[in-house]
């Protein structure tokens, strides 16, 4: 069948095809079994990744193991666990559904669904043992891959540089993964220009070329039901035409029956592997015949995952323009003298990448001596310095709201972030944050918030003076401005100090004096504050595990004193909660809160007010199921909430809540904390949607015999 030369050179070409490329592994397993020695490997896209791993020394069985244990869907989403988020993001973000980049004053669209950092991290781990080989012809099996130059559509042969970055570029399927810049060229998936580079392989002097084709075929219009499917169809026109000519040069052509699968069927990898096995087994005798002609066998170098720790004695950072070295290393949580593995570095890169300030983060180890290494980081800062994000919400207090968030990075200084929330709807509001994050060092910032709502409330400062009133029409306005300094630890703890100006105006139309609405307060307040916060929750909503704490102290030093009764006073308020999950569906979450007023403020404005269900209360308003908004009040309180949540379908939850509280001038004046205990309960249904939680709850209290239906839609803001 093949020529009679003593030692024919054998090349293998693997086509691109996304998830369908898993079928390549089955062919490699048959090649391994037959003992075929490959002299060159080439690939495009997924073919490049599979072929690159084999060229680096991984066996087909090892590659199969890697593929089976990797969640490619999560990998491509660039989804990061919440513990990688910055403390700022945990506290002030996580409330929008759509985020779009702003360039030159115009709102645009992302270049891809994913920037591919997780893919690059994984590839960097896998190619640890060959990191110092920058000429791919020097790999255990010589190798090249194909990418496409976005500017002119021409093929780009990559056979030098970083193996991980080369494969990341070759697999950059348009809209799915962002393009990659290498040598000043913006590169996307090689399948666009040359999905089956057989001619190039022929030029490498190969006598026998084996080609594995996992391309599909053009779909009928009935099957073009998604943007990715349509784009894949458009890309395929030229690709299939060119591949047909390339196939004529093959000596062995293998095409598994994977026509029923798409490039994104990553969840069907076992089925695709089986399809590859069925087809590959048909070529067993062919592979044996090739192997028998290879009389001279080379020693095969086997690759393996290196998990040993390397001592980092020096760190070099390249490409950081708008962020200081302290910021970058602080986010990476790494310093000279640390001992790290490749996986450790991947985890640390996630911490920096989670800031959303970078398009790409690469690294390499440079050996100094037997024990010490220089760790070289290269970062490519994102050009999307501004974004617009949108969110919607409805609840029974603030009513409807459309959130428009504008974020601008390095507006005035390095490391800074400007963020403005504008809430349009029944109650106009804003929340402005300017924060300079100095990583390892002390950070600082400014916050400003305008909050306004109207409610039919049993607001005690008025109702207690007018016993005939059951409730009043409360009009509440708060404007707060803060300057603060802060430091964080491991993205879990935050400690801060600051000074605050607060303007509060409270009035009601229910009572008129001299034909004007009754003004309850119209004062400026000045205080200093300190806080300690902890947040290890795995999610903002529908928490399944972790801890949360927020302890703060405020000393109100002065006031413009509208009611002429202000006295200096201090307040302490704290929250501590935790969540744990039993099995996969049942979660128990407990939240404890307490507040205490030191000295007499001379006013009831800063009393603690319990009642209602909102998760975005300000000042001293606190949630309490079973009671109406601000129905309960006093100088101090202690409260516990027990939340039992069961996930009965994906994103669908049934909830039972019980909360208990005690209020008094001083709830700690005796040890009987169960004296005059207040209780409330709720049952409900919740749905975790793309716009945030949608919840309907029924709430009641045996103390008052009152019943309430509660509803909210969307993220709380």
């Amino acid at each position: 069948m093949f020529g009679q030369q003593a030692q024919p050179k054998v090349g293998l070409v693997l086509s691109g095809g996304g998830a369908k490329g898993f079928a390549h592994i089955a062919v490699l397993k048959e090649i391994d079994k037959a003992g075929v020695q490959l002299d060159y490997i080439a690939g495009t896209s997924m073919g490049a990744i599979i072929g690159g791993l084999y060229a680096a020394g991984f066996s087909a069985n090892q590659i199969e193991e890697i593929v089976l244990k990797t969640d490619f869907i999560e990998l491509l989403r660039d989804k990061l666990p919440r513990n990688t988020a910055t403390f700022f993001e945990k506290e002030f973000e996580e409330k929008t559904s759509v985020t779009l980049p702003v360039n030159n004053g115009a709102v645009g669209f992302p270049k891809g669904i994913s920037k591919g950092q997780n893919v690059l991290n994984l590839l960097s781990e896998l190619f640890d043992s060959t990191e110092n080989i920058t000429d791919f012809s020097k790999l255990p099996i010589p190798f090249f891959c194909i990418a496409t130059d976005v500017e002119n559509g021409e093929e780009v042969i990559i056979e030098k540089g970083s193996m991980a970055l080369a494969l990341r570029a070759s697999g950059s399927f348009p809209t799915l993964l962002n393009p990659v810049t290498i040598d000043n060229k913006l590169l996307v998936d090689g399948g666009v220009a040359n999905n089956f580079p057989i001619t190039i392989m022929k030029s490498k002097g190969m006598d026998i070329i084996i080609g594995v084709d996992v391309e599909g075929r053009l779909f009928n219009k009935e099957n073009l039901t998604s943007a990715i499917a349509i784009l894949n169809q458009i890309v395929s026109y030229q690709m299939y035409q060119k591949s047909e000519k390339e196939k004529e040069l093959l000596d062995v052509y293998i095409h598994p029956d994977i026509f029923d699968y798409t490039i994104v069927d990553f969840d069907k990898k076992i089925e695709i592997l089986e399809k590859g096995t069925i087809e590959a087994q048909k070529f067993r005798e062919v592979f044996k015949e090739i192997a028998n002609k290879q009389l001279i066998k080379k020693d095969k170098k086997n690759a393996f995952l290196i998990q040993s720790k390397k001592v980092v004695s020096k760190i070099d950072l390249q490409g950081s323009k708008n962020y200081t070295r302290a910021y970058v290393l602080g986010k990476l949580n790494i310093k000279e003298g640390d001992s790290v593995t490749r996986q450790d570095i991947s985890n640390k890169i996630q911490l920096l990448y989670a800031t959303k300030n970078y398009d790409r983060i690469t690294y390499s180890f440079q050996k100094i001596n037997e024990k010490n290494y220089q760790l070289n980081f290269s970062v490519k800062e994102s050009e999307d310095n501004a974004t617009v994000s949108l969110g919607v919400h409805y609840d029974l207090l603030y009513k409807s709201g459309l959130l428009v968030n504008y974020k601008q990075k390095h507006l005035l200084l390095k490391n800074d972030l400007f963020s403005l929330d504008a809430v349009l709807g029944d109650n106009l509001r804003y929340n402005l944050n300017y924060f300079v994050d100095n990583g390892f060092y002390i950070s600082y910032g400014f916050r400003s918030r305008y909050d306004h709502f109207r409610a039919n409330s049993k607001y005690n400062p008025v109702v207690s003076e007018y016993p005939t009133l059951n409730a009043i029409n409360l009009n509440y306005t708060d404007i707060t401005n803060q300057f603060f300094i802060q430091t964080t630890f491991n993205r879990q703890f935050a400690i801060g100090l600051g000074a605050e100006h607060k303007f509060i105006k409270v009035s009601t139309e229910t009572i008129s004096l001299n034909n004007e609405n009754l003004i309850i307060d119209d004062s400026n307040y000045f205080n200093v504050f300190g806080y300690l916060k902890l947040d290890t929750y795995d999610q903002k909503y529908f928490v399944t595990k972790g801890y949360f704490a927020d302890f703060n102290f405020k000393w109100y030093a002065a006031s413009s004193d509208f009611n002429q009764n202000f006295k200096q006073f201090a307040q302490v308020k704290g929250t501590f909660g935790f969540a744990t999950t039993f099995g996969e569906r049942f979660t128990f979450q407990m939240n404890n809160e307490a507040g205490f007023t030191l000295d007499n403020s001379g006013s009831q404005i800063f009393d603690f007010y319990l009642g209602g269900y909102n998760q975005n209360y300000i000042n001293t308003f606190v949630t309490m199921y079973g009671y109406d908004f601000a129905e309960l009040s006093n100088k101090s309180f202690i409260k516990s909430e027990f939340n039992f949540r069961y996930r009965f379908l994906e994103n669908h939850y049934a909830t039972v809540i019980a909360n208990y509280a005690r209020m008094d001038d001083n709830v700690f004046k005796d040890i009987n904390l169960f004296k005059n205990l207040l209780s409330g309960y709720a049952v409900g249904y919740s749905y975790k949607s793309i716009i945030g939680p949608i919840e309907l709850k029924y709430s009641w209290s045996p103390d008052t015999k009152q019943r309430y239906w509660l509803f909210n839609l969307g993220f709380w803001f």
Side-chain angles (χ1 to χ4, degrees):
M1 179 177 177
F2 304 106
Q4 297 301 313
Q5 63 266 36
Q7 184 75 16
K9 292 183 178 180
V10 181
L12 174 67
V13 180
L14 305 178
S15 82
K20 295 179 290 183
F22 296 146
H24 291 314
I25 299 170
V27 177
L28 290 173
K29 289 174 75 173
E30 291 298 326
I31 286 174
D32 277 348
K33 289 176 184 177
V36 174
Q37 180 175 281
L38 298 176
D39 296 285
Y40 229 112
I41 298 178
T44 297
S45 196
M46 183 61 80
I49 295 172
I50 301 296
L53 288 169
Y54 195 81
F58 287 95
S59 68
N61 286 330
Q62 285 178 304
I63 298 171
E64 182 180 45
E65 183 182 350
I66 291 167
V67 164
L68 290 177
K69 74 178 184 180
T70 301
D71 187 336
F72 286 89
I73 295 175
E74 289 299 304
L75 199 70
L76 288 171
R77 283 177 179 169
D78 262 350
K79 188 175 181 181
L80 299 174
R82 189 171 184 264
N83 62 14
T84 65
T86 63
F87 212 92
F88 180 91
E89 184 176 355
K90 290 179 181 179
E91 189 170 10
F92 295 107
E93 298 186 5
E94 301 180 295
K95 53 193 175 185
T96 56
S97 307
V98 178
T99 298
L100 300 171
V102 178
N103 291 304
N104 299 319
V107 178
F109 292 94
K111 295 175 182 176
I113 295 173
S114 166
K115 291 184 177 180
Q117 184 64 48
N118 283 347
V119 175
L120 187 58
N121 289 348
L122 176 61
L123 291 171
S124 296
E125 290 179 40
L126 294 174
F127 288 96
D128 185 12
S129 62
T130 58
E131 179 186 48
N132 295 323
I133 300 176
T134 57
D135 181 346
F136 300 166
S137 67
K138 305 298 183 184
L139 288 166
I141 302 174
F143 172 81
F144 70 86
C145 63
I146 303 296
T148 303
D149 190 328
V150 176
E151 284 190 300
N152 52 36
E154 294 180 357
E155 68 181 30
V156 177
I157 304 171
I158 308 178
E159 43 194 352
K160 291 183 184 296
S162 162
M163 190 71 166
L165 197 57
L167 300 184
R168 167 65 182 83
S170 183
S172 298
F173 187 82
T175 73
L176 194 61
L177 287 171
N178 275 15
V180 173
T181 302
I182 298 179
D183 295 334
N184 246 358
K185 294 180 179 179
L186 189 63
L187 304 179
V188 293
D189 196 294
V192 176
N194 189 351
N195 201 45
F196 217 13
I198 299 161
T199 299
I200 302 171
M201 178 62 80
K202 197 77 174 176
S203 71
K204 299 293 184 181
M206 297 299 105
D207 301 302
I208 299 172
I209 300 179
I210 304 167
V212 186
D213 180 9
V214 293
E215 292 177 357
R217 56 192 171 198
L218 296 176
F219 288 101
N220 297 324
K221 60 179 181 293
E222 290 80 10
N223 296 320
L224 300 174
T225 57
S226 69
I228 291 179
I230 292 171
L231 183 61
N232 188 41
Q233 183 92 333
I234 294 170
V235 169
S236 298
Y237 300 149
Q238 178 182 343
M239 180 176 71
Y240 290 171
Q241 185 179 9
K242 185 169 185 176
S243 293
E244 287 301 319
K245 296 179 181 179
E246 293 281 289
K247 292 171 190 174
E248 296 173 3
L249 302 174
L250 284 173
D251 298 287
V252 180
Y253 176 63
I254 305 172
H255 195 173
D257 180 13
I258 38 74
F259 297 110
D260 293 332
Y261 300 94
T262 70
I263 61 170
V264 291
D265 279 337
F266 296 103
D267 57 333
K268 299 176 181 177
K269 52 191 171 186
I270 294 178
E271 297 174 30
I272 294 170
L273 281 165
E274 289 173 351
K275 291 287 185 181
T277 301
I278 293 170
E279 191 64 25
Q281 288 175 349
K282 298 175 184 178
F283 291 83
R284 279 183 174 175
E285 294 304 317
V286 175
F287 293 150
K288 287 180 182 178
E289 185 179 346
I290 296 173
N292 289 336
K293 289 183 174 294
Q294 296 177 311
L295 303 178
I296 304 172
K297 301 292 186 181
K298 300 177 185 176
D299 291 334
K300 189 172 182 181
K301 297 179 180 179
N302 294 319
F304 53 92
L305 293 176
I306 301 174
Q307 296 297 338
S308 60
K309 288 183 177 291
K310 295 179 172 68
V311 178
V312 178
S313 60
K314 187 177 180 181
I315 300 174
D316 182 65
L317 175 64
Q318 299 292 328
S320 191
K321 300 175 183 177
N322 295 301
Y323 299 92
T324 63
R325 178 183 173 90
Y327 173 89
V328 176
L329 298 186
K331 295 304 176 190
L332 287 165
N333 192 25
I334 192 169
K335 59 184 181 297
E336 293 176 354
D338 287 351
S339 296
V340 293
T341 65
R342 288 268 179 183
Q343 190 170 15
D344 292 335
I345 296 295
S346 292
N347 293 335
K348 290 176 182 298
I349 285 177
Q350 283 188 332
L351 299 176
L352 180 60
Y353 182 67
T355 64
K356 302 180 179 68
N357 295 330
Y358 301 91
D359 284 338
R360 190 177 75 213
I361 305 162
T362 58
Y363 70 96
S364 63
F365 283 104
Q366 183 178 337
K367 194 170 185 178
I368 298 175
N369 52 47
E370 287 302 316
K371 293 184 178 180
N372 299 292
Y373 291 80
Q374 176 173 308
L375 180 54
N376 303 310
F377 281 106
S378 177
V379 298
K380 184 178 184 299
E381 294 179 355
S382 174
E383 295 178 358
D384 297 333
N385 297 324
T387 59
V388 170
S389 302
L390 303 174
V392 294
H393 183 79
Y394 179 85
D395 66 65
L396 299 178
L397 177 63
Y398 285 97
K399 308 299 182 184
S400 62
L402 168 66
L403 172 65
V404 181
N405 169 263
Y406 176 77
K407 238 189 311 293
Q408 174 76 54
K409 300 170 185 175
H410 38 86
L411 178 67
L412 302 175
L413 302 169
K414 287 186 175 183
N415 307 348
D416 74 356
L417 172 65
F418 171 85
S419 177
L420 174 63
D421 291 343
V423 181
L424 312 175
D426 290 297
N427 290 279
L428 299 178
R429 292 170 280 155
Y430 78 76
N431 195 358
L432 181 151
N433 279 279
Y434 179 76
F435 185 54
V436 180
D437 189 339
N438 288 322
F440 284 132
Y441 304 120
I442 298 294
S443 302
Y444 59 91
F446 169 76
R447 299 183 187 124
S448 178
R449 186 196 65 221
Y450 167 76
D451 200 290
H452 175 260
F453 61 82
R454 298 178 181 86
N456 190 41
S457 171
K458 300 176 181 179
Y459 192 61
N460 195 55
V462 177
V463 174
S464 60
E465 294 184 18
Y466 297 87
T468 58
L469 294 176
N470 292 321
I472 62 169
N473 182 359
L474 181 68
N475 193 334
Y476 192 101
T477 298
D478 175 282
I479 300 174
T480 298
N481 299 293
Q482 294 180 342
F483 289 95
F484 66 95
I485 58 172
Q486 175 180 291
T487 188
T488 59
F489 304 92
N490 296 326
R491 305 198 175 202
Q492 296 180 348
F493 288 96
I495 300 175
L497 298 170
E500 178 182 85
H501 159 261
K502 184 181 288 290
F503 169 74
I504 292 180
K505 183 174 183 178
V506 186
S507 63
T508 178
E509 299 174 357
T510 307
I511 303 170
S512 295
L513 297 176
N514 301 320
N515 295 322
E516 293 185 357
N517 297 338
L518 175 65
I519 298 177
I520 303 166
D521 195 13
D522 187 5
S523 302
N524 292 282
Y525 295 90
F526 303 90
N527 69 73
V528 292
F529 62 88
Y531 57 84
L532 169 64
K533 298 181 180 182
L534 165 72
D535 188 348
T536 69
Y537 278 164
D538 63 334
Q539 301 178 62
K540 180 82 169 183
Y541 305 94
F542 306 109
V543 183
T544 64
K545 62 181 179 179
Y547 295 87
F548 178 86
D550 184 356
F551 302 105
N552 62 77
F553 171 85
K554 289 187 176 183
W555 178 56
Y556 287 86
S559 170
S560 59
D561 199 9
F562 174 79
N563 291 307
Q564 298 182 351
N565 59 357
F566 175 79
K567 299 177 182 178
Q568 290 185 353
F569 70 100
Q571 262 188 346
V572 180
K573 185 174 181 291
T575 301
F576 175 75
F578 73 91
T580 186
T581 296
F582 303 94
E584 295 183 352
R585 296 181 177 273
F586 182 79
T587 298
F588 170 68
Q589 185 175 353
M590 182 179 182
N591 197 58
N592 301 289
E593 294 183 75
F596 190 79
T597 304
L598 305 173
D599 299 326
N600 188 349
S601 65
S603 167
Q604 292 180 291
I605 289 296
F606 289 102
D607 281 2
F608 295 100
Y609 296 91
L610 273 62
Y613 69 108
N614 284 48
Q615 304 301 309
N616 55 355
Y617 282 152
I618 62 170
N619 297 335
T620 53
F621 295 99
V622 180
T623 300
M624 179 75 180
Y625 287 99
Y627 291 85
D628 202 358
F629 168 70
E631 181 174 352
L632 306 169
S633 66
N634 217 313
K635 302 294 182 186
S636 67
F637 81 99
I638 186 168
K639 175 201 152 195
S640 291
E641 178 181 303
F642 306 92
N643 190 314
F644 304 87
R645 187 167 56 247
Y646 181 75
R647 180 171 58 85
F648 58 91
L649 289 173
E650 188 67 25
N651 297 326
H652 294 263
Y653 302 84
T655 305
V656 177
I657 298 171
N659 53 194
Y660 306 93
R662 185 183 174 208
M663 303 197 76
D664 206 328
D665 285 342
N666 181 0
V667 292
F668 304 107
K669 64 185 176 184
D670 57 54
I671 60 174
N672 187 4
L673 296 180
F674 297 99
K675 181 181 178 182
N676 300 322
L677 193 66
L678 306 166
S679 62
Y681 305 89
V683 295
Y685 160 79
S686 303
Y687 173 64
K688 184 180 180 181
S689 77
I690 191 172
I691 62 171
I694 300 174
E695 299 182 291
L696 180 64
K697 294 175 182 174
Y698 179 69
S699 173
W700 74 95
S701 171
D703 307 327
T704 63
K705 313 302 181 185
Q706 295 294 318
R707 306 285 189 267
Y708 303 96
W709 282 100
L710 312 174
F711 175 75
N712 75 274
L713 178 150
F715 299 113
W716 290 95
F717 50 75

